[in-house]
Amino acid sequence: MNAYDYWSITQSALATISFSFASILFGVPIGLGLALLRWARVPVLSQLVIMYVSIIRSCPAVTLILLIFFALPQFGISLDPAPAAILALTIGTSAFNCEIWRSALLNFPRDQYDAARSFAMPRGLRFRRIVFPQIWQASLPGLISEMTLQVKSSPAIAVIGIVEITRAALRVGARTYDPLPPFMFALVLYSLIVFVLVKAQRVLEQRQPIESRA
């Protein structure tokens, strides 16, 4: 491998980071919204959420990406590879995030919510001041774990032509007939990305006691 090979794989890390974090940015709040629908037991909608989560969680990322990229044009919706990849990754991670948020909501002491409601506290304020701080703290480890899995599942977007870390390493290995160095370098890049996520989790966990006392 020469310097250009290392640089090309490093450039592909930008695609991995961009698509992964874009889907995380959309998927975390969508997952929260879905979990709240189930927690509130909204008629019909909660059943639809259960069906959505069950189907999406059972669907491999590659299959979901191919389905969105090739099936949507049959309904008159044609997406370029980049938005199709973000949409597919967002749909996938939102289903898993929904279960993480829902687990925290199930463990949330609902009597606190009912007590705030008895004092006529507005619904939005009840959620912001009472519910969210507690479920955020409980959900944080699971959310970070799902984010790391999202980064590691990002090679699935290569099936629609997007060059991310694994695809770039595969190209370099095929050209040099020595696949070990590029894939070892790819492993280093993935490890760095995951390290940043884990570090962010530790920082947020250290801030939680301070914020909860404020």
Side-chain angles (χ1 to χ4, degrees), residues 84-196:
I86 293 175
L87 177 60
L89 292 176
T90 300
I91 291 174
T93 193
S94 64
F96 287 94
N97 285 327
C98 172
E99 291 302 287
I100 294 170
W101 287 115
R102 189 174 74 90
S103 176
L105 285 167
L106 290 175
N107 293 320
F108 171 75
R110 192 154 186 151
D111 56 340
Q112 296 183 19
Y113 186 86
D114 294 334
R117 184 168 57 181
S118 67
F119 283 97
M121 182 181 289
R123 179 179 299 177
L125 187 59
R126 291 198 301 265
F127 177 74
R128 293 195 306 270
R129 298 292 299 272
I130 298 174
V131 180
F132 184 74
Q134 296 186 56
I135 65 171
W136 164 252
Q137 187 172 6
S139 300
L140 185 59
L143 291 174
I144 296 296
S145 295
E146 169 58 22
M147 291 176 191
T148 61
L149 292 175
Q150 188 73 349
V151 171
K152 289 183 285 187
S153 66
S154 62
I157 64 178
V159 297
I160 55 176
I162 298 174
V163 180
E164 40 66 58
I165 295 176
T166 301
R167 187 179 180 94
L170 183 62
R171 285 182 173 182
V172 172
R175 185 181 60 80
T176 61
Y177 299 100
D178 187 8
L180 183 59
F183 279 110
M184 290 299 295
F185 185 59
L187 177 61
V188 170
L189 292 177
Y190 280 119
S191 299
L192 288 174
I193 297 172
V194 172
F195 172 79
V196 171

Side-chain angles (χ1 to χ4, degrees), residues 16-51:
T16 296
I17 294 171
S18 299
F19 286 103
S20 298
F21 282 83
S23 63
I24 290 169
L25 182 64
F26 293 118
V28 170
I30 292 174
L32 175 59
L34 295 174
L36 288 172
L37 288 176
R38 289 196 62 183
W39 187 60
R41 297 172 185 167
V42 179
V44 181
L45 289 180
S46 60
Q47 299 301 318
L48 291 176
V49 171
I50 293 173
M51 186 183 303

